Amino acid sequence: MPPVEKEKTRAVGGNQVRSLDLSGHVGFDSLPDQLVTKSVQNGFTFNIMCIGETGLGKSTLMDSLFNTNFESSQSPHNLSVVKLKAHTYELQESNVKLKLTLCDTVGYGDQINKEDSFKAIVDYIDTQFENYLQEELKIKRSLSAYHDTRIHACVYFICPTGHGLKSLDLVCMKKLQSKVNIIPVIAKADTISKTELIKFKQRILAELNSNGVQIYHFPTDDTTVAETNQAMNAHIPFAVVGSTDFVKVGNKMARAREYPWGTVQGEWRSGTVIENENHCDFVKLREMLIRTNMEDLRDTTHTKHYELYRQARLEKMGFSDVGPDNKPVNFQETYETKRSEHLDEMQQKEDQMRQMFVQRVKEKETELKEAEKQLQQRFDKMKREHGEEKRRVEEERRQLEEEIAEFHRRKAAHMAGSGTLTLGKKKK
């Protein structure tokens, strides 16, 4: 027999809504299982950005978190600008596939002038948001197959000075707080004592609050993890120690850092992973970042940080949900309006360019006419000067010819006088 429905009514927003209690099994309670199966088939994506000065152990911590070796190269300290290097890896644990992208900030904090150290990081995060937005705006889009490179978690490494945050730390986190989930960690926490570490954590939280820096807090709205997350929020910033070396401690192999005076253990291995939490917060960080809140980090990135970027980007492009009369408008109307405005603007620019071209042509014609007039004047002047020079030469030529003729005449007369005198002498 089909299940018998018991009808109830309840008021929602002033309207009566029917509510049915099922007396038998229908089957939509299998929806979570269907979602899990589909998600496992598609696989998951998780992107981590590590921000911190060179040598704080960013790559080592990532190797320790995922219990593998990502084969990262050591970064130099003499880079003139901050460069971001992202590497994607495909990991598989049981039947769950994870496409992990690790982004490292190479050269961060190494420059003498650190004023623009955060700019490359902000530009990189905005570029990933812009790429996703362009994929969303495509006519033929494929978000299920799109490789999402948006940063889901930003692990910010704080230098273990014990004296508080640097100005660069505060400025950078302030710029990133609306773009990414910031998880501050104290790197190489084994270099300071426990008493100093507690005071250092308190000083960091006080400086973050006084400067209005918003960091990521683990969610407490889910009752299944509320108690755990609330307790873990009290440990922020996490004091971590990473290591890729295994040292034999007793009869067990431990991932640890060994010193002349003892061994700092990051985690133990004995069949199942047994973590030692007496020395650092590495286990807490891994538990919160990967095992408990990875999906919340992904969801917060999409629903909060990406939505803020998307909203600002579309508003900058001129799109809005309401019109001038404060009434809702759809995307098509806004697009048509913007298209009409754009065409009008382009037409105005075309008219302005045409007028400018005509004006420039007229100015050029005026310049050419003036140049032609000056050339004509120079030609007339040179022509007059040439005529005068020609007349002067002709006059000098005429005078020279007359002098030559006079010379020949006088020469002839002289020759004739000389001949008569010679004949007279002979007759005598």
Side-chain angles (χ1 to χ4, degrees):
M1 294 181 61
V4 180
E5 300 174 348
K6 298 178 181 179
E7 182 176 341
K8 296 181 181 179
T9 59
R10 56 191 177 93
V12 177
N15 300 323
Q16 296 295 323
V17 179
R18 298 174 61 191
S19 177
L20 300 178
D21 291 334
L22 302 178
S23 59
H25 182 261
V26 176
F28 58 77
D29 59 352
S30 65
L31 275 173
D33 297 332
Q34 298 176 34
L35 291 176
V36 170
T37 302
K38 184 177 180 180
S39 298
V40 170
Q41 290 176 351
N42 295 334
F44 299 89
T45 301
F46 192 59
N47 306 319
I48 302 177
M49 173 179 283
C50 298
I51 302 178
E53 299 178 10
T54 306
L56 286 181
K58 301 187 292 294
S59 301
T60 302
L61 182 63
M62 293 299 106
D63 292 346
S64 303
L65 281 175
F66 293 94
N67 196 27
T68 185
N69 183 13
F70 293 112
E71 298 180 353
S72 57
S73 58
Q74 188 174 1
S75 302
H77 290 266
N78 56 355
L79 294 179
S80 58
V81 293
V82 179
K83 297 182 179 180
L84 280 83
K85 292 184 179 180
H87 300 279
T88 302
Y89 309 91
E90 293 185 358
L91 308 179
Q92 183 169 353
E93 189 175 39
S94 299
N95 62 335
V96 178
K97 295 180 180 179
L98 176 67
K99 183 176 288 187
L100 175 68
T101 299
L102 299 179
C103 182
D104 188 13
T105 54
V106 182
Y108 179 78
D110 291 341
Q111 295 76 32
I112 297 177
N113 184 5
K114 301 178 177 61
E115 184 177 357
D116 295 331
S117 295
F118 62 87
K119 189 177 184 303
I121 302 173
V122 173
D123 292 343
Y124 178 85
I125 295 175
D126 287 344
T127 300
Q128 312 317 308
F129 283 154
E130 182 65 24
N131 293 339
Y132 192 88
L133 177 62
Q134 294 302 321
E135 182 66 25
E136 274 192 333
L137 296 178
K138 285 183 179 179
I139 297 177
K140 294 182 179 180
R141 59 183 185 176
S142 180
L143 293 176
S144 59
Y146 175 74
H147 180 204
D148 186 5
T149 56
R150 296 173 297 176
I151 301 299
H152 301 124
C154 172
V155 182
Y156 195 97
F157 288 72
I158 301 172
C159 188
T161 60
H163 301 294
L165 294 172
K166 299 179 181 180
S167 300
L168 177 61
D169 299 330
L170 292 172
V171 172
C172 185
M173 284 192 277
K174 191 72 174 178
K175 293 290 183 180
L176 297 178
Q177 63 181 0
S178 62
K179 298 179 180 294
V180 71
N181 302 313
I182 302 175
I183 302 176
V185 300
I186 301 174
K188 295 185 176 181
D190 54 328
T191 59
I192 52 180
S193 64
K194 286 188 176 181
T195 304
E196 293 174 338
L197 185 60
I198 294 174
K199 294 181 180 179
F200 191 33
K201 285 188 175 184
Q202 294 173 352
R203 188 176 294 110
I204 289 173
L205 291 177
E207 290 183 357
L208 291 176
N209 292 331
S210 62
N211 289 276
V213 178
Q214 300 176 3
I215 60 176
Y216 175 78
H217 291 280
F218 303 114
T220 57
D221 52 351
D222 187 354
T223 56
T224 58
V225 295
E227 185 177 354
T228 302
N229 283 348
Q230 187 172 1
M232 290 299 103
N233 283 331
H235 289 277
I236 296 176
F238 294 116
V240 297
V241 177
S243 176
T244 56
D245 299 327
F246 287 90
V247 179
K248 188 173 183 180
V249 181
N251 58 351
K252 299 177 181 179
M253 295 299 296
R255 186 186 290 270
R257 296 178 65 89
E258 193 171 22
Y259 298 95
W261 57 87
T263 302
V264 177
Q265 302 165 20
E267 61 175 310
W268 290 70
R269 286 178 154 245
S270 178
T272 58
V273 178
I274 302 172
E275 294 83 359
N276 187 342
E277 301 185 36
N278 294 325
H279 293 151
C280 67
D281 297 330
F282 168 78
V283 177
K284 298 181 179 65
L285 174 63
R286 185 180 61 184
E287 184 73 23
M288 294 296 99
L289 183 64
I290 300 175
R291 297 180 179 176
T292 306
N293 299 294
M294 179 182 285
E295 184 57 32
D296 183 76
L297 288 165
R298 287 158 37 90
D299 184 66
T300 303
T301 299
H302 181 75
T303 59
K304 181 182 177 181
H305 301 300
Y306 171 69
E307 282 300 319
L308 287 175
Y309 176 84
R310 178 179 175 275
Q311 178 182 350
R313 188 75 173 85
L314 293 179
E315 287 178 352
K316 186 177 181 180
M317 295 169 62
F319 294 97
S320 177
D321 294 331
V322 295
D325 53 357
N326 205 25
K327 292 183 178 180
V329 294
N330 58 35
F331 191 85
Q332 180 66 26
E333 292 177 356
T334 306
Y335 170 76
E336 292 295 338
T337 302
K338 294 299 297 180
R339 184 174 182 274
S340 178
E341 293 176 355
H342 178 70
L343 292 177
D344 293 342
E345 183 180 356
M346 294 300 295
Q347 185 63 41
Q348 292 178 2
K349 289 184 178 180
E350 184 180 353
D351 295 340
Q352 292 176 359
M353 291 182 65
R354 185 180 291 107
Q355 294 176 1
M356 186 181 298
F357 177 76
V358 172
Q359 182 67 23
R360 292 293 298 274
V361 170
K362 290 181 179 179
E363 293 176 356
K364 199 65 177 177
E365 288 179 349
T366 304
E367 292 178 3
L368 292 175
K369 288 181 179 179
E370 184 66 23
E372 183 179 3
K373 181 179 179 181
Q374 293 178 0
L375 288 174
Q376 185 65 38
Q377 292 176 353
R378 289 181 60 187
F379 174 76
D380 295 339
K381 180 179 179 182
M382 293 177 66
K383 187 177 180 180
R384 289 194 302 271
E385 292 176 351
H386 177 71
E388 293 176 358
E389 184 70 18
K390 185 177 180 181
R391 286 194 297 272
R392 184 179 65 79
V393 171
E394 290 292 336
E395 181 64 23
E396 291 179 353
R397 180 182 177 183
R398 184 184 62 78
Q399 293 177 0
L400 183 60
E401 289 177 350
E402 289 178 355
E403 291 178 358
I404 293 173
E406 180 64 20
F407 173 75
H408 287 296
R409 184 181 61 77
R410 292 176 64 184
K411 181 180 179 181
H414 177 72
M415 293 296 293
S418 299
T420 304
L421 181 58
T422 303
L423 291 174
K425 287 180 178 182
K426 287 181 179 181
K427 290 179 178 180
K428 288 180 179 180

